[in-house]
Short mmCIF file of all heavy atoms in Angstrom, two decimals:
data_model
loop_
_atom_site.label_atom_id
_atom_site.label_comp_id
_atom_site.label_asym_id
_atom_site.label_seq_id
_atom_site.Cartn_x
_atom_site.Cartn_y
_atom_site.Cartn_z
N ALA R 1 12.80 -2.29 -2.75
CA ALA R 1 13.14 -3.71 -2.65
C ALA R 1 12.03 -4.52 -3.30
O ALA R 1 10.88 -4.11 -3.32
CB ALA R 1 13.29 -4.11 -1.19
N GLU R 2 12.40 -5.64 -3.85
CA GLU R 2 11.42 -6.55 -4.45
C GLU R 2 11.02 -7.55 -3.37
O GLU R 2 11.69 -8.55 -3.14
CB GLU R 2 12.03 -7.26 -5.67
CG GLU R 2 12.39 -6.33 -6.81
CD GLU R 2 11.19 -5.62 -7.41
OE1 GLU R 2 10.09 -6.20 -7.43
OE2 GLU R 2 11.35 -4.47 -7.84
N MET R 3 9.90 -7.24 -2.66
CA MET R 3 9.44 -8.10 -1.57
C MET R 3 8.48 -9.18 -2.05
O MET R 3 8.07 -10.03 -1.28
CB MET R 3 8.83 -7.25 -0.46
CG MET R 3 9.88 -6.32 0.15
SD MET R 3 9.32 -5.48 1.61
CE MET R 3 8.55 -4.06 0.88
N CYS R 4 8.09 -9.11 -3.33
CA CYS R 4 7.27 -10.15 -3.95
C CYS R 4 7.46 -10.04 -5.46
O CYS R 4 7.93 -9.02 -5.97
CB CYS R 4 5.79 -9.98 -3.58
SG CYS R 4 5.06 -8.42 -4.12
N SER R 5 7.10 -11.12 -6.16
CA SER R 5 7.18 -11.06 -7.62
C SER R 5 5.87 -11.47 -8.28
O SER R 5 5.65 -11.15 -9.44
CB SER R 5 8.34 -11.93 -8.14
OG SER R 5 8.19 -13.26 -7.68
N HIS R 6 5.01 -12.17 -7.56
CA HIS R 6 3.70 -12.60 -8.07
C HIS R 6 2.69 -12.52 -6.93
O HIS R 6 3.05 -12.56 -5.76
CB HIS R 6 3.74 -14.05 -8.58
CG HIS R 6 4.73 -14.26 -9.67
ND1 HIS R 6 4.54 -13.80 -10.95
CD2 HIS R 6 5.93 -14.89 -9.67
CE1 HIS R 6 5.57 -14.13 -11.69
NE2 HIS R 6 6.44 -14.80 -10.95
N ASP R 7 1.40 -12.44 -7.28
CA ASP R 7 0.33 -12.40 -6.28
C ASP R 7 0.40 -13.59 -5.34
O ASP R 7 0.09 -13.48 -4.15
CB ASP R 7 -1.05 -12.36 -6.95
CG ASP R 7 -1.36 -11.01 -7.59
OD1 ASP R 7 -0.57 -10.06 -7.42
OD2 ASP R 7 -2.40 -10.92 -8.26
N CYS R 8 0.83 -14.75 -5.85
CA CYS R 8 0.87 -15.95 -5.01
C CYS R 8 1.91 -15.84 -3.89
O CYS R 8 1.89 -16.63 -2.95
CB CYS R 8 1.10 -17.20 -5.86
SG CYS R 8 2.64 -17.18 -6.78
N ASP R 9 2.80 -14.84 -3.97
CA ASP R 9 3.77 -14.61 -2.90
C ASP R 9 3.15 -13.87 -1.72
O ASP R 9 3.78 -13.73 -0.68
CB ASP R 9 4.95 -13.76 -3.42
CG ASP R 9 5.74 -14.43 -4.52
OD1 ASP R 9 5.74 -15.68 -4.57
OD2 ASP R 9 6.34 -13.71 -5.34
N CYS R 10 1.91 -13.39 -1.89
CA CYS R 10 1.27 -12.53 -0.89
C CYS R 10 0.20 -13.30 -0.12
O CYS R 10 -0.49 -14.16 -0.67
CB CYS R 10 0.63 -11.33 -1.58
SG CYS R 10 1.84 -10.32 -2.47
N PRO R 11 0.01 -12.94 1.17
CA PRO R 11 -0.98 -13.63 1.99
C PRO R 11 -2.41 -13.20 1.65
O PRO R 11 -2.65 -12.11 1.13
CB PRO R 11 -0.62 -13.20 3.42
CG PRO R 11 0.01 -11.86 3.25
CD PRO R 11 0.75 -11.92 1.93
N ASN R 12 -3.36 -14.05 1.98
CA ASN R 12 -4.80 -13.78 1.85
C ASN R 12 -5.15 -13.21 0.48
O ASN R 12 -4.77 -13.79 -0.53
CB ASN R 12 -5.27 -12.88 2.98
CG ASN R 12 -4.94 -13.44 4.34
OD1 ASN R 12 -5.06 -14.65 4.55
ND2 ASN R 12 -4.49 -12.61 5.27
N ASN R 13 -5.84 -12.06 0.44
CA ASN R 13 -6.27 -11.50 -0.85
C ASN R 13 -5.31 -10.43 -1.35
O ASN R 13 -5.59 -9.75 -2.33
CB ASN R 13 -7.68 -10.92 -0.73
CG ASN R 13 -7.74 -9.69 0.16
OD1 ASN R 13 -6.88 -9.49 1.01
ND2 ASN R 13 -8.74 -8.87 -0.04
N GLN R 14 -4.17 -10.24 -0.68
CA GLN R 14 -3.23 -9.20 -1.09
C GLN R 14 -2.62 -9.52 -2.45
O GLN R 14 -2.50 -10.67 -2.85
CB GLN R 14 -2.13 -9.01 -0.05
CG GLN R 14 -2.66 -8.40 1.24
CD GLN R 14 -1.54 -8.02 2.19
OE1 GLN R 14 -0.36 -8.15 1.89
NE2 GLN R 14 -1.92 -7.55 3.37
N LYS R 15 -2.23 -8.43 -3.15
CA LYS R 15 -1.63 -8.54 -4.47
C LYS R 15 -0.20 -8.02 -4.43
O LYS R 15 0.14 -7.20 -3.59
CB LYS R 15 -2.43 -7.72 -5.48
CG LYS R 15 -3.85 -8.24 -5.67
CD LYS R 15 -4.62 -7.45 -6.70
CE LYS R 15 -4.12 -7.55 -8.10
NZ LYS R 15 -4.16 -8.84 -8.75
N CYS R 16 0.63 -8.48 -5.36
CA CYS R 16 2.00 -8.00 -5.49
C CYS R 16 1.95 -6.75 -6.37
O CYS R 16 1.68 -6.84 -7.57
CB CYS R 16 2.88 -9.08 -6.11
SG CYS R 16 4.62 -8.60 -6.20
N CYS R 17 2.19 -5.57 -5.78
CA CYS R 17 2.00 -4.30 -6.48
C CYS R 17 3.25 -3.44 -6.43
O CYS R 17 4.04 -3.51 -5.49
CB CYS R 17 0.86 -3.52 -5.83
SG CYS R 17 -0.70 -4.42 -5.78
N SER R 18 3.39 -2.58 -7.42
CA SER R 18 4.47 -1.61 -7.45
C SER R 18 4.22 -0.55 -6.40
O SER R 18 3.10 -0.08 -6.24
CB SER R 18 4.57 -0.96 -8.83
OG SER R 18 5.48 0.12 -8.80
N ASN R 19 5.27 -0.17 -5.68
CA ASN R 19 5.16 0.91 -4.70
C ASN R 19 5.89 2.16 -5.17
O ASN R 19 6.13 3.08 -4.41
CB ASN R 19 5.65 0.46 -3.33
CG ASN R 19 7.12 0.08 -3.34
OD1 ASN R 19 7.86 0.39 -4.27
ND2 ASN R 19 7.56 -0.60 -2.30
N GLY R 20 6.28 2.18 -6.43
CA GLY R 20 7.00 3.32 -6.99
C GLY R 20 8.48 3.09 -7.12
O GLY R 20 9.16 3.78 -7.87
N CYS R 21 9.00 2.12 -6.39
CA CYS R 21 10.43 1.83 -6.45
C CYS R 21 10.71 0.34 -6.45
O CYS R 21 11.70 -0.11 -6.99
CB CYS R 21 11.14 2.51 -5.28
SG CYS R 21 12.93 2.40 -5.35
N GLY R 22 9.83 -0.43 -5.85
CA GLY R 22 9.96 -1.88 -5.81
C GLY R 22 8.58 -2.50 -5.87
O GLY R 22 7.63 -1.86 -6.35
N HIS R 23 8.44 -3.72 -5.37
CA HIS R 23 7.13 -4.39 -5.33
C HIS R 23 6.91 -4.92 -3.92
O HIS R 23 7.85 -5.41 -3.28
CB HIS R 23 7.08 -5.55 -6.33
CG HIS R 23 6.91 -5.08 -7.73
ND1 HIS R 23 7.97 -4.68 -8.50
CD2 HIS R 23 5.80 -4.95 -8.50
CE1 HIS R 23 7.53 -4.30 -9.69
NE2 HIS R 23 6.22 -4.46 -9.72
N GLN R 24 5.67 -4.79 -3.45
CA GLN R 24 5.33 -5.31 -2.14
C GLN R 24 3.88 -5.77 -2.12
O GLN R 24 3.09 -5.39 -3.00
CB GLN R 24 5.57 -4.26 -1.05
CG GLN R 24 4.60 -3.09 -1.10
CD GLN R 24 4.94 -2.02 -0.08
OE1 GLN R 24 5.95 -1.33 -0.24
NE2 GLN R 24 4.11 -1.88 0.94
N CYS R 25 3.51 -6.59 -1.15
CA CYS R 25 2.15 -7.08 -1.01
C CYS R 25 1.26 -5.97 -0.46
O CYS R 25 1.64 -5.30 0.51
CB CYS R 25 2.11 -8.29 -0.08
SG CYS R 25 3.00 -9.72 -0.74
N MET R 26 0.11 -5.76 -1.11
CA MET R 26 -0.83 -4.72 -0.68
C MET R 26 -2.25 -5.23 -0.85
O MET R 26 -2.52 -6.03 -1.73
CB MET R 26 -0.69 -3.48 -1.58
CG MET R 26 0.62 -2.81 -1.56
SD MET R 26 0.56 -1.38 -2.69
CE MET R 26 2.27 -0.95 -2.75
N PRO R 27 -3.18 -4.73 0.00
CA PRO R 27 -4.59 -5.09 -0.21
C PRO R 27 -5.07 -4.47 -1.53
O PRO R 27 -4.64 -3.37 -1.89
CB PRO R 27 -5.33 -4.49 0.97
CG PRO R 27 -4.33 -3.74 1.78
CD PRO R 27 -2.98 -3.90 1.16
N PRO R 28 -5.94 -5.16 -2.26
CA PRO R 28 -6.41 -4.60 -3.53
C PRO R 28 -7.29 -3.38 -3.33
O PRO R 28 -7.88 -3.19 -2.28
CB PRO R 28 -7.20 -5.75 -4.16
CG PRO R 28 -7.60 -6.61 -3.03
CD PRO R 28 -6.54 -6.46 -1.98
N TYR R 29 -7.34 -2.56 -4.35
CA TYR R 29 -8.16 -1.35 -4.37
C TYR R 29 -9.63 -1.72 -4.36
O TYR R 29 -10.04 -2.66 -5.01
CB TYR R 29 -7.81 -0.55 -5.63
CG TYR R 29 -8.87 0.42 -6.06
CD1 TYR R 29 -9.06 1.62 -5.39
CD2 TYR R 29 -9.71 0.14 -7.13
CE1 TYR R 29 -10.03 2.50 -5.78
CE2 TYR R 29 -10.68 1.02 -7.53
CZ TYR R 29 -10.83 2.21 -6.85
OH TYR R 29 -11.81 3.08 -7.24
N ARG R 30 -10.42 -0.97 -3.61
CA ARG R 30 -11.88 -1.14 -3.60
C ARG R 30 -12.51 0.23 -3.79
O ARG R 30 -12.11 1.19 -3.14
CB ARG R 30 -12.35 -1.75 -2.29
CG ARG R 30 -12.02 -3.22 -2.19
CD ARG R 30 -12.71 -3.85 -0.97
NE ARG R 30 -12.50 -5.28 -0.96
CZ ARG R 30 -11.40 -5.87 -0.54
NH1 ARG R 30 -10.39 -5.17 -0.12
NH2 ARG R 30 -11.30 -7.19 -0.55
N GLU R 31 -13.53 0.30 -4.63
CA GLU R 31 -14.22 1.56 -4.85
C GLU R 31 -15.01 1.92 -3.61
O GLU R 31 -15.66 1.08 -3.00
CB GLU R 31 -15.16 1.44 -6.04
CG GLU R 31 -15.83 2.74 -6.38
CD GLU R 31 -16.70 2.66 -7.62
OE1 GLU R 31 -16.59 1.68 -8.37
OE2 GLU R 31 -17.49 3.58 -7.81
N LYS R 32 -14.96 3.19 -3.22
CA LYS R 32 -15.72 3.66 -2.06
C LYS R 32 -17.17 3.87 -2.46
O LYS R 32 -17.46 4.18 -3.62
CB LYS R 32 -15.12 4.97 -1.56
CG LYS R 32 -13.73 4.82 -0.96
CD LYS R 32 -13.21 6.16 -0.49
CE LYS R 32 -11.81 6.05 0.06
NZ LYS R 32 -11.28 7.38 0.45
N PRO R 33 -18.09 3.71 -1.52
CA PRO R 33 -19.51 3.93 -1.86
C PRO R 33 -19.78 5.40 -2.12
O PRO R 33 -19.01 6.27 -1.72
CB PRO R 33 -20.25 3.44 -0.61
CG PRO R 33 -19.26 3.57 0.49
CD PRO R 33 -17.91 3.34 -0.13
N GLY R 34 -20.89 5.67 -2.76
CA GLY R 34 -21.30 7.04 -3.03
C GLY R 34 -21.25 7.35 -4.51
O GLY R 34 -20.71 6.58 -5.30
N VAL R 35 -21.82 8.47 -4.87
CA VAL R 35 -21.90 8.89 -6.26
C VAL R 35 -21.18 10.23 -6.39
O VAL R 35 -21.43 11.15 -5.61
CB VAL R 35 -23.37 9.03 -6.71
CG1 VAL R 35 -23.47 9.51 -8.13
CG2 VAL R 35 -24.09 7.70 -6.55
N CYS R 36 -20.31 10.34 -7.38
CA CYS R 36 -19.61 11.60 -7.62
C CYS R 36 -20.61 12.68 -8.00
O CYS R 36 -21.64 12.40 -8.61
CB CYS R 36 -18.59 11.44 -8.75
SG CYS R 36 -17.11 10.54 -8.25
N PRO R 37 -20.30 13.94 -7.65
CA PRO R 37 -21.16 15.04 -8.06
C PRO R 37 -21.27 15.08 -9.58
O PRO R 37 -20.40 14.58 -10.29
CB PRO R 37 -20.44 16.28 -7.54
CG PRO R 37 -19.51 15.80 -6.50
CD PRO R 37 -19.16 14.40 -6.87
N SER R 38 -22.31 15.72 -10.07
CA SER R 38 -22.53 15.84 -11.51
C SER R 38 -21.31 16.46 -12.17
O SER R 38 -20.64 17.31 -11.62
CB SER R 38 -23.76 16.72 -11.77
OG SER R 38 -23.86 17.02 -13.13
N LYS R 39 -21.03 16.02 -13.40
CA LYS R 39 -19.89 16.55 -14.14
C LYS R 39 -20.15 17.97 -14.62
O LYS R 39 -19.29 18.61 -15.16
CB LYS R 39 -19.56 15.65 -15.32
CG LYS R 39 -19.02 14.31 -14.88
CD LYS R 39 -18.66 13.43 -16.05
CE LYS R 39 -18.17 12.10 -15.52
NZ LYS R 39 -17.93 11.15 -16.57
N ASN R 40 -21.36 18.48 -14.42
CA ASN R 40 -21.68 19.84 -14.85
C ASN R 40 -21.26 20.86 -13.80
O ASN R 40 -21.98 21.78 -13.49
CB ASN R 40 -23.19 19.96 -15.12
CG ASN R 40 -23.63 19.02 -16.20
OD1 ASN R 40 -22.86 18.67 -17.07
ND2 ASN R 40 -24.89 18.61 -16.15
N LEU R 41 -20.09 20.66 -13.22
CA LEU R 41 -19.61 21.56 -12.17
C LEU R 41 -18.85 22.74 -12.77
O LEU R 41 -18.34 23.56 -12.04
CB LEU R 41 -18.67 20.79 -11.23
CG LEU R 41 -19.29 19.64 -10.46
CD1 LEU R 41 -18.21 18.88 -9.70
CD2 LEU R 41 -20.34 20.15 -9.50
N GLY R 42 -18.76 22.80 -14.06
CA GLY R 42 -17.92 23.82 -14.67
C GLY R 42 -16.56 23.21 -14.93
O GLY R 42 -16.38 22.00 -14.83
#
Protein backbone atom coordinates (compact mmCIF):
# COMPACT_ATOMS: atom_id res chain seq x y z
CA ALA A 1 0.00 0.00 0.00
CA GLU A 2 1.11 3.56 -0.61
CA MET A 3 0.93 4.96 2.95
CA CYS A 4 2.97 8.04 2.01
CA SER A 5 4.26 9.73 -1.13
CA HIS A 6 6.74 12.32 0.23
CA ASP A 7 8.83 12.78 3.40
CA CYS A 8 6.51 15.62 4.44
CA ASP A 9 3.73 13.01 4.83
CA CYS A 10 5.71 11.41 7.68
CA PRO A 11 5.92 12.48 11.34
CA ASN A 12 9.06 13.82 13.05
CA ASN A 13 12.28 12.76 11.27
CA GLN A 14 10.75 9.75 9.48
CA LYS A 15 11.12 9.41 5.72
CA CYS A 16 8.77 8.02 3.06
CA CYS A 17 10.58 4.81 2.00
CA SER A 18 9.96 1.78 -0.18
CA ASN A 19 9.18 -1.37 1.78
CA GLY A 20 9.54 -3.66 -1.24
CA CYS A 21 5.93 -3.46 -2.33
CA GLY A 22 4.65 -0.01 -1.34
CA HIS A 23 5.83 3.07 0.56
CA GLN A 24 5.60 3.76 4.27
CA CYS A 25 7.08 6.12 6.87
CA MET A 26 10.28 4.78 8.46
CA PRO A 27 13.03 6.17 10.68
CA PRO A 28 16.13 7.02 8.62
CA TYR A 29 19.15 4.73 8.55
CA ARG A 30 21.96 5.51 10.99
CA GLU A 31 25.43 4.00 10.87
CA LYS A 32 26.26 1.89 13.93
CA PRO A 33 29.40 2.76 15.90
CA GLY A 34 32.54 0.69 15.57
CA VAL A 35 35.11 -0.12 12.92
CA CYS A 36 34.82 -3.02 10.50
CA PRO A 37 37.57 -5.63 10.67
CA SER A 38 40.47 -5.19 8.26
CA LYS A 39 39.68 -6.07 4.66
CA ASN A 40 42.70 -8.40 4.72
CA LEU A 41 40.49 -11.23 5.99
CA GLY A 42 41.01 -13.28 2.87
